[in-house]
Amino acid sequence: MRVVFYKRLAKTKSLNLSDEVMLEQQTFWILRTYTVFNLDQVEGLDHLKTEPETIEPFAAIEEAEGLLVDSGAEIHHAAQDRAFYERKGTLSPFP
């Protein structure tokens, strides 16, 4: 698989003009491509593979759950495509 790395770089160049020194800032893009492999595609590197991380099951905090129940709040979980944007210092669900 090929991956592409690109980055904008800034470089300051010194210009000597007779008795005056001027600094000029130049910006340019750097672009590089790399070929990468999945460890499963390479033989003899099994020692580099890491064990999958074990994740502990969710444990509710009783005090927090009690506060939530006492608040009477209705919580609705819905899978929706929503995005939030910060506009003029406020959080808004509208683009």
Side-chain angles (χ1 to χ4, degrees):
M1 171 194 281
R2 260 185 214 267
V3 294
V4 177
F5 170 80
Y6 65 96
K7 181 179 180 179
R8 187 178 184 154
L9 294 176
K11 179 181 175 182
T12 304
K13 184 178 180 181
S14 176
L15 303 172
N16 292 324
L17 304 173
S18 57
D19 60 343
E20 194 175 324
V21 175
M22 293 181 61
L23 298 178
E24 177 184 49
Q25 178 137 3
Q26 299 174 332
T27 59
F28 57 95
W29 288 91
I30 185 167
L31 174 69
R32 293 186 180 147
T33 60
Y34 299 95
T35 302
V36 295
F37 298 93
N38 187 318
L39 267 180
D40 292 332
Q41 298 172 315
V42 182
E43 295 177 2
L45 296 178
D46 291 337
H47 64 283
L48 296 176
K49 292 182 181 178
T50 57
E51 291 296 320
E53 183 180 336
T54 328
I55 299 174
E56 297 294 325
F58 175 76
I61 301 170
E62 290 183 33
E63 186 178 350
E65 289 294 322
L67 286 171
L68 186 59
V69 169
D70 292 345
S71 74
E74 290 184 31
I75 310 288
H76 299 278
H77 296 279
Q80 296 176 339
D81 291 335
R82 294 184 68 185
F84 292 83
Y85 302 89
E86 189 171 343
R87 185 184 278 176
K88 296 182 183 176
T90 63
L91 198 59
S92 169
F94 308 106

